[in-house]
Amino acid sequence: MKNLIATLLCLSIFLSGCQEAIEKEDISTPMDANYYTEPHRPQFHFSPEKMWMNDPNGMVYYDGEYHLFYQYYPESTVWGPMHWGHAVSKDMVHWEHLPIALYPDSLGYIFSGSAVVDWNNTSGLGENGQPPLIAIFTHHDAEAEKAGRNDFQYQSIAFSNDRGRTWTKYAGNPVIPNTEKIRDFRDPKVIWDEGSQQWVMAFAAQNHVKLWGSPDLKNWTHLSDFGREWGSHGGVWECPDLFPITLSNSGETKWVLLLSINPGGPNGGSATQYFVGDFDGNTFTLDPSFASDVSGEKAVWLDWGPDDYAGVTWSDIPKSDGRRLFMGWMSNWDYATVVPTDTWRSAMTLPRQLTLQNTAAGLRLFSEPVKELETLRGESYNLENQSIDGDYDWSGQPGISPSQMEVLLEVELPQGAQTDFGIALSNSKGEEYRIGFDAAKNEFYSDRTKAGESGFSEKFAAKRHTAPRSSDSQTLRLHLFFDVASCELFADGGASVMTEIFFPAEDFSKVKLYSTGGAVKILKMKAYPLKRAVMR
Ligand code: FRU
């Protein structure tokens, strides 16, 4: 009898599980045709269902899921008291929205931070022999700030024992109080350092990065500071990320420190610089070959476009995968709060794989879109050995919408070329976005000056944006993603990257290649329509 009841119970649990699975499937085929189709809504980038979003937070991989938390204000499309929004994905492309993970509390708003899997339960916060997820974030006490105090930001933790579905704030918060009274004291990113067998936290303190160490994520000691005298200080330092990475083709381990600054970016406003060096369990030291690249206010930029900010990398990617995976916020504090979207504000960049390579210019990070994005591809339109002199219009290819596609181009530049070559998207309203390469200046450019609405901010369309080319190959390789209101360029295998958003009054429907000042030869072009990645 007992067995029968148990069997029936199991069966009913199993069936209700199926029921849930069926309902979820139903949701995944959009029932409401308007879902995620508002003007300017990206179709394969992550964006919140509604309301305000900024930085990606707590990116961690656990039990088959990529977690993405993000700075979120559920009551307005403008920044306000910060929460952590939450989504999960099996491939970083298709996302499922989950309820808000962290709410503001008596210690303050929940600012940016990270999350880790505490595999050995060093924190003692795990249950039932399972490792807890630990979120490490900044508490921002807005009342204290208003009262004129300087110690209103400090680091705290929260834990989850149900795969990130619910979170409990640690009773001993904050774990790092702001005894130095530094006004900008935020954005903790934590890693487990195999070498020194401790947790290492990097966070930003106005004009430098602080490194702290801990055996258990609860008790922290100051290790060292980095950066007062290195890199660009055109703005406040935010959102660091310190991690080891294997130098491609050498097997050597180097350490990279990503660091966002606002303002002071190479094309204005917010941007992310980085440093390459070593970490000995206590101190981050610049690689001697890298020091001259970041001395005297010089910086090396991860992405030259104006719209990739506060990006960091995923924690706990399995060793068998081995990738260093990155995602940034696809906006800029110069205009983020006023861009013309109605029901929600902003999106994330595409997920990217970072690699470290030895180049003629020195050690450099390369960024490439993750291979999982290939699952969105439809049938490509191809060109081969096509000379371009002037305009080459290829609008109207069956299945291809210029506002939602991926383009791979290999272009042969003539010796000593002075050509201006690129790709232009336009619409029936005469708006046009251009992205290309100016051979005379040896630079890439992204030009949204005529690409649509811009009256919301003087800075938005003031000038075209540029990025120097580092490769000297006669073959130019451009990898481009267009998603309604954005373009991402990965040039020369990811050596030069530009991310830019724009707001055409009507989706771009026409596309052409152009070459002025001489002909270029398209060795190969593949243009893929990309399916939308439905958010659930
Ligand atoms: C970066 C940032 C972080 C901060 C968060 C607040 O964009 O300013 O430094 O934690 O946004 O939302």
Side-chain angles (χ1 to χ4, degrees), residues 478-519:
L478 306 181
H479 193 174
L480 292 147
F481 288 81
F482 299 98
D483 189 6
V484 184
S486 66
C487 173
E488 278 150 291
L489 164 69
F490 305 91
D492 295 320
S496 300
V497 183
M498 295 190 87
T499 303
E500 183 137 336
I501 57 174
F502 38 74
F503 300 95
E506 169 192 287
D507 284 357
F508 290 130
S509 50
K510 291 184 258 177
V511 54
K512 69 179 185 189
L513 299 170
Y514 58 85
S515 179
T516 55

Side-chain angles (χ1 to χ4, degrees), residues 52 54-55 57 71-72 79-80 82 110-113 138 153 186-187 204 236-239 260 262 270 309-310 329 333:
W52 169 268
N54 56 293
D55 314 359
N57 295 151
Q71 288 288 277
Y72 188 50
W79 191 93
M82 285 288 110
I110 315 297
F111 270 24
S112 286
T138 298
Q153 294 185 342
R186 59 176 177 268
D187 309 336
V236 68
W237 281 28
E238 301 184 317
C239 301
S260 285
N262 176 57
S270 322
Y309 192 59
W329 173 44
W333 283 115

